[in-house]
Amino acid sequence: MVEQATRAAIEAVWRLESTRLIAALVRMLRDVGLAEDVAQDAVVAALAAWPVAGIPANPGAWLMTTAKRRAIDVLRARARHDRAAAELAHDLAEVVDEDPSAGIDHVEDDVLRLMFICCHPALTAEAQTTLTLRLVAGLSTREIARAHLAPEATVAQRISRAKRTLAEVGAAIEEPAAAERAERLGTVLGVVYLVFNEGYSATEGEDWMRPALCDEAVRLGRILTALVPEDPEVLGLSALMELQSSRLAARADAEGEPILLDAQDRRRWDASRIRRGVDLLDRAVALVAHAGPAAEPGPYVLQASLAAEHARAASVDDTDWERIASLYERLARRTGSPVVELNRAVALGRARGPEAGLALLDQVSDLPAMRGYHLVPSVRGDLYAQLGRWDEAAAEFGRAAGMAANARERGLLERRARDARAAGGPIASS
Amino acid sequence: MRFLCMVQTDENPPWEIPGALYEAMAAYDQEGRLNGTLVESRGLLPSAAGAIVSAADGRVKAIDGPFAEAKELVGGYAVVDVRSREEAVELGRRLVQLHLEHIPEWRGTVEIRQIADF
């Protein structure tokens, strides 16, 4: 029992310390794989020592010192045939016993650099996501596998391949240059939002949502706002995730079935998350305004503005659909994304009537990016339903159900197809 | 999972509060921002600026502060977002330790309560 309690306490310490521990070790060792190995060794050492001696007053410093000592051993073993390792081992040995907390003083730079490394352009998007969850969020391989419904061996392989790629390109040594930094930050934001979205509407499998992934992404967004507080897009992403996750409790019923925006009980939206999201958005908008009259809000600020419009509205009918449509128009201009146009069609349908929505949908539904995308027939079905064209609505919902990969969503679309057929039934057969 | 952590201590303590404690608290908060656990934290003004509304004999009664009879009062709070209760306890342990480092005779508690999420 005591053993169990200590284990849980050590795991908690690891959770709180792992990001900066690994980030500092990467800076010192210039090797992501080695940094992670010695950090793990430090945890193993803690599991042996702390149940006997108790948790040290400064557990982070204890882990850091232990990891550094372990790194010196490894580097000395390598030193026989590697001069750089010998020098590094010597330098580390100089600092390791002076001040146990030495090396945790550049934490902001370290953590941001670690994020940049995890999102290195040499890595695939999948590898970037996995490595970010592993090294920055501190999730275990098993946790990542569970979150992505992938076999543990696949995730482990993905991680080791990613580390190999990073070693080959020397990613841990380089600092992105100023010009590349903005681009790299954009990649980091994209990876974090990808994690959030995978949690918010799981694309595969049985679950409609995986809140744990949303929580991780919100936390990563929070860390980013501490690291880069003056970037409107960083604040915008954090605002967007706070606002969207405010609806998590209202997005599914007790059986886990999806509840769409129209039908959600807005009293169940989390007011404190909404407030935090709106505050972050206000700060982001102020920063954009401060940047000059020609400055345009970026995609995350625009998306957060959209989420805030929904959050402010007491009901679907109270929503400012014209403003939402115009925000989508600006977003489409910024991103060129046909999915954004799809959302604009929904908003136009609300603002000016279903025909306006259908007209825009006709323009975008044949684009290559839209092929096989289940939300195209789903939106079309919805607009037909609003016009009372039930047979066509039923056919579209049926088509959408055939394309949806998420079991819950498929069930919802099949239900809508049945409802539309029932609504149109007597008229259609007469 | 989110927890509300309330620091409770004597409102009129016999000890001095050194400026270094405030700096250490600021550093502690920054640490919480950097590991993503800190959602929000605030210190509370003395109870003289507050009030207590209670039920007394089936009636509602409001009394302005200060709350003379209360021994320990909430002097500050933090909302943290963590993956386990142990993490919240570790954050609480560090908070108490921080006070003891700067005020060896400090007495107080950190009450940690999970926020209902769904």
Side-chain angles (χ1 to χ4, degrees):
Chain A
M1 204 57 229
V2 172
E3 182 66 17
Q4 196 74 38
T6 315
R7 269 197 88 91
I10 293 171
E11 191 170 308
V13 169
W14 167 251
R15 291 276 198 210
L16 294 170
E17 299 295 336
S18 73
T19 308
R20 44 196 232 149
L21 186 65
I22 286 175
L25 289 166
V26 167
R27 168 171 46 84
M28 286 181 253
L29 306 173
R30 297 171 208 152
D31 180 333
V32 175
L34 178 59
E36 210 202 358
D37 288 346
V38 298
Q40 294 289 352
D41 288 346
V43 175
V44 172
L47 283 167
W50 294 0
V52 183
I55 295 183
N58 190 338
W62 191 100
L63 289 171
M64 177 61 93
T65 304
T66 309
K68 273 196 233 168
R69 290 214 177 99
R70 179 82 192 114
I72 293 169
D73 293 345
V74 173
L75 289 166
R76 280 185 180 149
R78 285 186 192 177
R80 278 189 291 275
H81 45 83
D82 183 348
R83 263 189 69 155
E87 276 174 38
L88 202 50
H90 179 264
D91 293 348
L92 270 182
E94 294 274 286
V95 297
V96 76
D97 288 322
E98 283 170 20
D99 172 13
S101 59
I104 319 190
D105 47 357
H106 318 281
V107 60
E108 284 91 343
D109 299 345
D110 287 349
V111 174
L112 192 58
R113 187 186 309 108
L114 181 63
M115 285 188 169
F116 284 154
I117 291 170
C118 291
C119 294
H120 194 281
L123 299 171
T124 63
E126 207 172 44
Q128 290 171 339
T129 310
T130 307
L131 217 51
T132 300
L133 286 173
R134 172 82 179 164
L135 297 181
V136 186
L139 295 186
S140 68
T141 306
R142 179 180 308 166
E143 286 168 324
I144 298 170
R146 208 169 31 210
H148 287 299
L149 305 179
E152 217 173 312
T154 310
V155 174
Q157 210 170 37
R158 209 180 286 161
I159 291 169
S160 53
R161 201 178 310 127
K163 285 184 194 160
R164 233 185 354 262
T165 305
L166 290 177
E168 281 161 12
V169 298
I173 305 167
E174 56 160 40
E175 282 283 337
E180 201 196 339
R181 196 175 175 278
E183 197 176 317
R184 204 67 88 74
L185 185 58
T187 309
V188 173
L189 297 180
V191 164
V192 172
Y193 196 39
L194 200 66
V195 172
F196 182 86
N197 272 324
E198 187 49 40
Y200 196 68
S201 33
T203 44
E204 307 258 328
E206 296 295 319
D207 295 330
W208 162 237
M209 293 182 286
R210 301 198 198 110
L213 277 177
C214 293
D215 289 346
E216 291 305 330
V218 168
R219 202 171 295 138
L220 288 167
R222 224 180 269 137
I223 294 172
L224 275 166
T225 59
L227 297 173
V228 197
E230 297 301 310
D231 187 295
E233 283 294 87
V234 168
L235 298 177
L237 173 64
S238 199
L240 173 62
M241 294 191 297
E242 290 278 8
L243 288 162
Q244 286 188 305
S245 59
S246 73
R247 301 204 287 266
L248 282 171
R251 288 181 84 238
D253 66 14
E255 281 73 50
E257 293 299 327
I259 305 174
L260 299 182
L261 187 70
D262 298 18
Q264 284 171 22
D265 178 354
R266 296 185 177 217
R267 290 167 306 182
R268 299 193 63 204
W269 291 1
D270 184 328
S272 69
R273 283 189 203 257
I274 290 174
R275 202 199 63 221
R276 265 202 310 283
V278 170
D279 285 351
L280 282 159
L281 176 61
D282 288 346
R283 276 168 56 197
V285 168
L287 281 169
V288 174
H290 194 72
E296 276 277 324
Y300 291 115
V301 174
L302 288 170
Q303 289 178 85
S305 306
L306 282 158
E309 281 302 323
H310 290 300
R312 284 191 190 104
S315 71
V316 174
D317 295 334
D318 284 333
T319 312
D320 187 346
W321 291 105
E322 276 294 348
R323 176 162 159 73
I324 286 183
S326 91
L327 282 166
Y328 273 126
E329 194 173 9
R330 290 162 78 184
L331 188 60
R333 272 208 308 274
R334 284 300 300 255
T335 61
S337 156
V339 177
V340 173
E341 292 285 20
L342 186 63
N343 283 311
R344 187 157 78 96
V346 175
L348 275 180
R350 298 269 188 196
R352 302 176 199 171
E355 291 91 346
L358 282 167
L360 179 59
L361 199 56
D362 287 337
Q363 290 172 38
V364 296
S365 58
D366 289 335
L367 293 169
M370 293 296 213
R371 253 168 241 150
Y373 189 43
H374 68 282
L375 288 180
V376 176
S378 166
V379 169
R380 197 184 288 280
D382 196 52
L383 291 163
Y384 281 144
Q386 288 173 43
L387 289 167
R389 290 159 65 174
W390 297 110
D391 289 1
E392 290 155 293
E396 294 292 338
F397 286 137
R399 190 170 304 140
M403 295 175 173
N406 177 288
R408 297 272 189 192
E409 208 170 359
R410 197 162 48 240
L412 175 81
L413 288 161
E414 281 162 358
R415 200 164 56 242
R416 295 197 75 188
R418 272 198 305 278
D419 291 350
R421 264 195 300 277
I427 305 163
S429 60
S430 63
Chain B
M1 42 178 78
R2 288 178 293 174
F3 288 83
L4 174 65
C5 310
M6 294 160 280
V7 185
Q8 296 163 321
T9 185
D10 190 336
E11 185 161 72
N12 304 300
W15 53 77
E16 285 290 307
I17 298 173
L21 176 61
Y22 292 110
E23 278 166 44
M25 290 286 292
Y28 172 90
D29 270 8
Q30 178 62 2
E31 212 171 289
R33 276 190 282 275
L34 287 171
N35 63 24
T37 55
L38 182 68
V39 178
E40 63 172 305
S41 68
R42 285 276 183 272
L44 303 186
L45 290 175
S47 66
I52 285 186
V53 182
S54 54
D57 305 325
R59 303 173 58 120
V60 181
K61 194 173 74 168
I63 303 174
D64 286 347
F67 319 143
E69 66 284 356
K71 189 81 193 88
E72 288 199 337
L73 294 175
V74 180
Y77 74 92
V79 175
V80 298
D81 180 3
V82 290
R83 299 186 189 98
S84 67
R85 183 173 64 180
E86 286 82 5
E87 266 182 78
V89 171
E90 172 63 17
L91 289 170
R93 188 189 68 78
R94 292 177 189 193
L95 199 53
V96 172
Q97 189 179 299
L98 204 69
H99 282 80
L100 286 174
E101 274 168 19
H102 291 88
I103 308 166
E105 68 272 39
W106 190 80
R107 281 189 321 273
T109 51
V110 177
E111 185 176 329
I112 296 169
R113 306 286 301 275
Q114 189 173 355
I115 295 171
D117 241 332
F118 284 91

